[in-house]
Amino acid sequence: MNQEGKEKLLDILKGKDYWTTKEVRHLILERFKVGYSITHIGRLLICYIYIKPYPFDYRRQKDAKEIFLS
């Protein structure tokens, strides 16, 4: 993937708060017709975005924090 493609990818990734490496891999394959391993996707992203891994359950309710605190 060339530099222009990487910049477009970064713009796309900014449009959503949370991405899995599988989702990014699928996005790159669909949009840019380039296949990368899951491991390489992680390396690719760490170069462009500071990421801090943290536990996140996609099944969590949107208002879970408010429910917990009440």
Side-chain angles (χ1 to χ4, degrees), residues 3 6 10 12 22 30 32 37 44 46 51 62 66:
Q3 187 62 31
K6 290 176 183 177
L10 188 57
I12 294 169
K22 289 182 182 180
E30 288 285 315
F32 303 100
S37 69
L44 181 69
I46 200 76
I51 55 174
K62 298 244 187 257
E66 289 80 23

Side-chain angles (χ1 to χ4, degrees), residues 1-7 9 28 32 34 36 44:
M1 202 155 97
N2 61 17
Q3 187 62 31
E4 183 182 333
K6 290 176 183 177
E7 290 172 7
L9 174 64
I28 291 171
F32 303 100
V34 178
Y36 288 125
L44 181 69

